[in-house]
Structures are given as C-alpha cells and as structure tokens.
Amino acid sequence: MNLQLQFRNIIISLILCAAGIATATAQENSSAYNWLDITSSSRIYGLGGLNISLVDDDIQVTDQNPALLGGEMSGQIAVNYMRYIGGSNLAGVRYGHSAGERGAWSASVQYFGYGSMKETLPDGSVIGTFSPKDVAFGAGYSHDITGNLRGGIALKMLYSGYADYTAFALATDLGINYYDPDRDLSLSAVIANLGGQIKRFHEAYDRLPFDIRLGISKSFGTFPVRFSVTAWNLTKWKLPFLEAGDGTSGSQPVVKDKFMSNLFRHLVFGADLISSPNFYIGIGYNYKMRTDMATYSRNFISGWSLSGGFKGMAFAVGIAFAQPHTGATTFMVNLSLSLNDLLNR
C-alpha cells in the first residue's frame, strides 16, 4: 500500500470517527468551545484573526490549516502568549518535524486561562474563587499529494475545567492546500472542529464550533503585498447581529440581517508586506469581530488588527495588536526557533 493510499485511509477513518461523535451530539442546542477559533499565530491574528491559505515557513500558521504544515518546518519550535479580553491569558507551544520525503508531523499544547472568578451558591453567597481553564493537546500530519497539492489532518484533545466541573472533547481539522509558487497563488479549504464531547460538564452536551472554510492568498507581479480573503461560517448563511443604539435612554438595539451585512460577516480580509524574507507587516479586517463587539461608543479601529515580525538565521519574533472595543486591548507575541538551523550554523 503506497503512502497516498495510507494517508487517504487514515483521513477517512478519522472522519468517520469524528462524524459519529458529531452526529450523536448535533441535536443539542447549546454551544461551547468557541475558544478554538482563537489563533495561536501573531501573524494570523494581525490578518484579521483567521487565515487558512497563508503559505509561510512559520509553524504557528498551521493551527489554521493542517495542510500548511510541511517538511520545511522540520525542527522548528514556537511559543505563543496572548493577553486577551477580560484578563484572559492564552499561551502554548508547537513543534514540527519532517516525516519522510513528503510528510510532516506536529505536536502542540495550548492553554486558555480566564483569570480568577468568584464561586457562589445559588443564594448568591460567595464561598471562594476558581480559575476556569481550557487546554488543547494537538497532533497533526500533512502529506504532499503532488508537487502543488498538500493535505493535512489535525487531532485535538480538549480538556475544560470550571470549578468542580470538567469536560473532555475530541476535535478534528481536515485541510487541503494548493500552492503555485510561480504565481504566488494559494487556495485552501478546511473542515474545522469536526467532533464532539466524550465527557460532558453536567446533563447537556455542548457542541463544538463546526465550520467549513475557504481561503485565497495572492500577490500580483512585483507589487510587494500579498492579499488574503478567508470565508468562514459557511455552514449557515444568516449571521444577524444587534446594532447598539446611541446610548440614550430611549434608544433600542436594532437587528441587522441584510444581504451585505451577512456577506461581510462571512469574510475576513488581510494584507501583508512581503518585500523582504526577513521581516513582514500585516493588517487585517474582521467585520464579524467588529459587529460582535459593537457598542454605541465603539472605536474606529474595532475590527482592525496589526502585526509585524522579524526573522533571523535561526529565530523569529512576531507581535500583533487589536482593540475589538474601547474596553478591550489584545496583544500577542510569538517566539520561534529552528533547531536545525541552529545546529547547522
């Protein structure tokens, strides 16, 4: 049995396993695990927080699409930290290594902590504090199907602990990427968060944020900017939101559900400067983020994000910044080291 056939059989088996879990839990109305949509890559965060088609030798971008993983990342280890909304802190580590001539594997751990909260009884009396947390243990594999086409799969084991309640879940990401280096054209498709809970918090199951995503990244001629568009939440068309009033006592929120509003809430836009292999600057716009965080006193930069980074011989650093609304400033930093480049110097 050749490698391509083995890879196909592995993917089919895992799809059936994850689909069975998803089907068993699909009838529940609750949803959770939306923290899975928060990227660990500062470069991606600066491009709107979502990008499945960015071809780069940065191991962190593979959390968006396992098909972006490749042997060119062999020996690369990266750590990430993010100061998120409401005092939340996100941190993790990721490692990649080649597997033969056409494959690569990765392993990762991501921690999501939400600070300290008061623990109360039903009557409102405070009995102490607790620190809710989520942890994702991940493993991924990719395989070069042809010279331009690569497929990948990622398996994530999810643990959640909220006071005395715990839950476990299993999620699978399936991705494919077509890349033409001569035209600097990248096309990707991802099935994200396929799976479900195997141990629930209490009585009801919580669904994973299952999604289908499409993405394109392209530069044009000698113009040193690469443009990206990512479409997500493709399992449903309508994504209505409440537009806040003007802050006066008589103003009321208005439901927005028109065609253009729904269209742009499905799209994330990004552009990054690629004039040098040693540094980059990126900017992104996420209309859904802007509208989800909307208040009557929303700031101008809500929905926008910025990133920048520098690459040396064996190391790289990246930072990203966004301010979804006036009360929330988020900051992310990535540090990566190529062990192969370090040992070969």
Side-chain angles (χ1 to χ4, degrees):
M1 183 180 295
N2 59 42
L3 289 176
Q4 292 187 21
L5 186 57
Q6 289 180 342
F7 181 68
R8 186 192 67 182
N9 289 341
I10 290 172
I11 288 182
I12 292 174
S13 298
L14 287 173
I15 288 175
L16 293 175
C17 177
I21 298 174
T23 301
T25 62
Q27 294 181 353
E28 302 295 333
N29 293 323
S30 59
S31 62
Y33 299 95
N34 289 321
W35 49 273
L36 289 172
D37 291 331
I38 303 175
T39 180
S40 62
S41 167
S42 60
R43 187 160 192 174
I44 299 299
Y45 193 66
L47 294 175
L50 189 70
N51 188 305
I52 65 170
S53 55
L54 187 71
V55 175
D56 192 76
D57 61 355
D58 180 2
I59 187 69
Q60 292 286 22
V61 304
T62 65
D63 85 328
Q64 297 279 290
N65 182 356
L68 298 178
L69 176 67
E72 65 275 9
M73 303 172 187
S74 184
Q76 189 176 141
I77 185 170
V79 296
N80 62 279
Y81 171 77
M82 183 180 191
R83 182 67 173 178
Y84 199 54
I85 298 171
S88 301
N89 292 277
L90 317 180
V93 60
R94 189 179 301 270
Y95 177 76
H97 203 280
S98 60
E101 295 182 356
R102 308 182 70 176
W105 62 266
S106 68
S108 64
V109 178
Q110 292 294 321
Y111 171 84
F112 302 78
Y114 308 106
S116 179
M117 301 182 182
K118 293 181 180 180
E119 185 174 1
T120 62
L121 296 175
D123 62 6
S125 58
V126 178
I127 60 173
T129 61
F130 70 101
S131 299
K133 58 185 175 294
D134 294 300
V135 185
F137 302 91
Y141 178 77
S142 69
H143 186 79
D144 293 339
I145 302 170
T146 68
N148 299 101
L149 191 65
R150 178 181 290 171
I153 183 170
L155 183 65
K156 294 174 285 189
M157 293 172 287
L158 313 174
Y159 166 79
S160 299
Y162 305 156
D164 296 329
Y165 299 93
T166 60
F168 293 92
L170 180 67
T172 303
D173 293 344
L174 303 170
I176 193 166
N177 173 257
Y178 170 84
Y179 179 58
D180 183 347
D182 295 331
R183 295 188 293 164
D184 193 24
L185 171 65
S186 175
L187 302 170
S188 288
V190 170
I191 298 175
N193 303 319
L194 178 64
Q197 282 187 316
I198 55 179
K199 179 185 181 297
R200 51 191 175 182
F201 285 110
H202 191 43
E203 296 181 355
Y205 281 100
D206 290 307
R207 293 183 293 109
L208 271 65
F210 170 75
D211 195 13
I212 297 175
R213 300 166 182 174
L214 301 174
I216 180 173
S217 294
K218 180 77 169 72
S219 63
F220 299 91
T222 59
F223 189 58
V225 176
R226 173 174 47 196
F227 299 94
S228 298
V229 181
T230 305
W232 67 315
N233 285 310
L234 297 183
T235 59
K236 54 187 175 182
W237 165 249
K238 290 192 174 183
L239 298 173
F241 72 97
L242 287 176
E243 185 176 74
D246 59 9
T248 61
S249 58
S251 64
Q252 296 293 329
V254 178
V255 177
K256 295 293 185 178
D257 193 24
K258 294 184 178 180
F259 175 84
M260 292 303 295
S261 172
N262 282 307
L263 174 64
F264 279 96
R265 278 170 63 82
H266 283 282
L267 301 176
V268 178
F269 302 92
D272 56 328
L273 180 68
I274 53 173
S275 57
S276 169
N278 299 114
F279 71 89
Y280 68 87
I281 299 174
I283 185 171
Y285 182 70
N286 188 325
Y287 181 69
K288 187 175 186 299
M289 174 67 74
R290 178 177 177 85
T291 51
D292 284 347
M293 295 291 183
T295 66
Y296 70 88
S297 59
R298 105 176 76 180
N299 59 336
F300 172 76
I301 63 174
S302 176
W304 294 91
S305 54
L306 297 170
S307 63
F310 171 81
K311 296 181 180 180
M313 291 296 295
F315 72 94
V317 59
I319 59 173
F321 164 85
Q323 191 178 48
H325 62 79
T326 55
T329 299
T330 59
F331 177 80
M332 177 181 284
V333 59
N334 284 173
L335 298 173
S336 63
L337 177 67
S338 174
L339 300 179
N340 290 348
D341 290 342
L342 185 64
L343 294 174
N344 293 331
R345 291 183 63 180

